Amino acid sequence: MAFDFEPSRPPVSSISLAGMTDVVLLLLVFFLLTSSFVPQLGIEVTLPQVDASAPVEQQYITVSLTSDGSYFVDGEPAPEAQLSQRIREARRTETTTVILRADEGATIRQFATVASAAQALELRVLMATERRE
């Protein structure tokens, strides 16, 4: 008795992408919903507005300057005399950048103070801005 091992149907030559499309759509919805839950920093500053912006690294130290002359390192108040020490304490091993969130009313002297403290610790300084509408 001979067995017939030939398939009765031709092989499937196309793949349905409906499942992958559903997964991509669900991921898109997930990221859109969770991006609105990213916490904002609690220090209120009015950032300057510019036409273009640069991407930011994940590992950074945030230094905020307010219009009344106050300094904040990662949300904690820092006296000007201890600014370099506070930045050094907030630095992690892979940190290479200081994000400067300066109010529009902050002075150049405040910026220079933060920049010199960051330079002493061999850190880059990036200025946080908001995109013009």
Side-chain angles (χ1 to χ4, degrees), residues 44-54 63-67 99-108 111 126-133:
E44 193 66 38
V45 294
T46 305
L47 296 176
Q49 295 185 355
V50 295
D51 293 326
S53 62
V63 177
S64 300
L65 304 176
T66 60
S67 58
I99 303 294
L100 182 59
R101 294 177 45 87
D103 190 271
E104 287 180 336
T107 64
I108 296 295
F111 175 79
L126 296 179
M127 182 78 166
T129 57
E130 289 182 346
R131 187 170 268 198
R132 278 195 188 123
E133 296 182 17

Side-chain angles (χ1 to χ4, degrees), residues 40-117:
Q40 297 293 324
L41 296 174
I43 299 146
E44 193 66 38
V45 294
T46 305
L47 296 176
Q49 295 185 355
V50 295
D51 293 326
S53 62
V56 178
E57 297 175 17
Q58 291 292 346
Q59 298 297 326
Y60 55 85
I61 300 168
T62 303
V63 177
S64 300
L65 304 176
T66 60
S67 58
D68 65 354
S70 301
Y71 296 88
F72 295 86
V73 176
D74 283 342
E76 299 294 323
E80 183 178 345
Q82 297 178 354
L83 186 62
S84 182
Q85 177 186 354
R86 294 287 177 90
I87 293 173
R88 184 180 295 114
E89 291 170 359
R91 185 177 186 180
R92 293 168 285 286
T93 56
E94 62 274 353
T95 303
T96 61
T97 306
V98 171
I99 303 294
L100 182 59
R101 294 177 45 87
D103 190 271
E104 287 180 336
T107 64
I108 296 295
R109 184 187 64 75
Q110 289 176 290
F111 175 79
T113 302
V114 173
S116 66

Side-chain angles (χ1 to χ4, degrees), residues 6-57:
E6 290 292 319
S8 60
R9 289 186 278 167
V12 177
S13 62
S14 65
I15 299 173
S16 174
L17 297 177
M20 187 173 69
T21 305
D22 290 343
V23 170
V24 170
L25 180 65
L26 286 175
L27 285 174
L28 179 66
V29 169
F30 172 76
F31 286 120
L32 286 174
L33 289 176
T34 58
S35 67
S36 65
F37 298 125
V38 174
Q40 297 293 324
L41 296 174
I43 299 146
E44 193 66 38
V45 294
T46 305
L47 296 176
Q49 295 185 355
V50 295
D51 293 326
S53 62
V56 178
E57 297 175 17

